[in-house]
Amino acid sequence: EGHVADLFSIVSEKHSELEDSNPLKKMKSRVVLGGHNIRDQDGNHVMFNEISASPAAAEANRSADIYACQDGYTCEVADADKAYVQAPWKGVPTWVRLPKWLRPKWWTSIFDPVVPLLLNLYGHPTAGDNWQTHCHAKLLKTGFEPVGEGWPSCYFHKALKLFLIVYVDDFKMSGPAKNMPQAWDALRKEIKMGAAVTWDRFLGINYNVQKQGGAYHIEYDMRDFMVQCLEKYESFCTSPVKYQFVATPFLDESRIPTQDLETKGVLAEA
């Protein structure tokens, strides 16, 4: 049994919602596997089971924030370097076709050259699960233990009193500030990752943390992303858009005029 797939390159702009002067905004390129067209040894299209990784939920993210709001505690984030390919490929033996710009010149005389897939490449339907399994095993080796059922990708280190959540390749840790360096050092021995920074930004959310009158205040700011959404919406509209004031983060539907529910938006028929 064997599978064959194509590799191709994609280019995207990371943090496109930010100003051009922001150093976080950058062009990013990667080579991915075409998971939409994987064939078996007989040329048949391969179907995969409905499996998917389970990253930490929004509730876990907020819980990490709350846990950090104690004297002597803090919250830090770091991301894994090229996370998926840190895990070896463990699925069905798979051969891949390289993009032409990656092929050696001496391959020109070979009909349909392929090479074996050795690492867990982004784009394969099971790549997310493979990375999560790999990451989970590495975290257990550092003393972190799963929080429990219903809290996927959430871990706690009992000795260091640290709470860790994992969202694909993003790691967020909260707990006693004095224990942070030891935990990050242990993680880096198992997983390649960048330097840990304070929680000023995580998953596209800007954090403004202040302590006032003995209480911690956390402001979640996603205005850059929201402005980008509105600008994109307006670019499809043929006439100026007038927005209504609404309460956030929860919309009181009882205050929505019936006309707003019955009138179609300008993009409804697009």
Side-chain angles (χ1 to χ4, degrees):
E1 183 181 13
H3 294 169
V4 179
D6 296 300
L7 302 188
F8 56 93
S9 56
I10 59 174
V11 179
S12 60
E13 187 175 36
K14 188 175 182 179
H15 300 307
S16 62
E17 73 277 8
L18 301 178
E19 297 290 339
D20 292 339
S21 59
N22 195 307
L24 293 176
K25 187 174 184 178
K26 62 184 69 175
M27 300 302 295
K28 187 174 183 179
S29 175
R30 67 173 68 182
V31 173
V32 301
L33 184 145
H36 66 293
N37 187 29
I38 300 177
R39 304 281 175 164
D40 64 15
Q41 67 277 2
D42 299 317
N44 299 316
H45 191 269
V46 179
M47 303 297 293
F48 293 88
N49 295 328
E50 292 294 332
I51 55 178
S52 61
S54 301
E59 294 83 355
N61 185 28
R62 298 295 188 267
S63 296
D65 297 338
I66 296 173
Y67 186 58
C69 291
Q70 304 180 63
D71 291 337
Y73 281 46
T74 188
C75 184
E76 296 179 351
V77 299
D79 62 308
D81 297 330
K82 302 175 183 177
Y84 279 20
V85 295
Q86 291 191 37
W89 175 248
K90 293 185 177 181
V92 173
T94 301
W95 284 262
V96 293
R97 300 184 181 93
L98 301 182
K100 290 185 177 180
W101 61 274
L102 282 177
R103 299 178 185 179
K105 291 183 178 180
W106 60 272
W107 280 17
T108 54
S109 61
I110 304 176
F111 174 74
D112 196 16
V114 294
V115 295
L117 180 67
L118 302 179
L119 299 179
N120 183 52
L121 199 60
Y122 182 88
H124 194 283
T126 65
D129 295 89
N130 293 338
W131 159 248
Q132 187 176 52
T133 300
H134 175 83
C135 180
H136 176 76
K138 296 296 185 181
L139 293 178
L140 294 182
K141 292 177 64 176
T142 64
F144 281 95
E145 300 177 5
V147 170
E149 185 177 354
W151 289 80
S153 299
C154 295
Y155 301 84
F156 193 77
H157 198 298
K158 294 181 180 179
L160 300 179
K161 299 180 180 180
L162 294 172
F163 179 43
L164 174 70
I165 68 171
V166 183
Y167 193 92
V168 189
D169 60 349
D170 292 304
F171 295 73
K172 182 174 182 177
M173 188 188 303
S174 59
K178 64 179 182 180
N179 295 338
M180 288 286 185
Q182 179 180 344
W184 287 121
D185 288 344
L187 288 176
R188 289 193 185 91
K189 291 179 181 179
E190 302 295 336
I191 301 173
K192 296 178 181 178
M193 60 176 59
V197 297
T198 55
W199 57 351
D200 57 337
R201 184 178 177 86
F202 185 69
L203 298 182
I205 303 174
N206 295 311
Y207 289 75
N208 180 18
V209 184
Q210 297 180 356
K211 187 176 182 181
Q212 302 174 357
Y216 286 85
H217 296 256
I218 303 178
E219 180 183 75
Y220 300 99
D221 183 0
M222 294 187 65
R223 70 187 69 191
D224 294 330
F225 174 71
M226 192 64 197
V227 168
Q228 183 188 47
C229 291
L230 295 177
E231 291 176 344
K232 188 69 174 180
Y233 171 75
E234 292 174 2
S235 69
F236 290 104
C237 299
T238 57
S239 58
V241 179
K242 183 178 180 181
Y243 298 106
Q244 298 182 19
F245 175 83
V246 294
T248 60
F250 303 108
L251 179 63
D252 185 359
E253 297 186 4
S254 64
R255 301 181 62 180
I256 301 178
T258 304
Q259 181 180 358
D260 286 357
L261 298 176
E262 297 176 347
T263 304
K264 291 185 177 181
V266 295
L267 300 181
E269 303 299 333

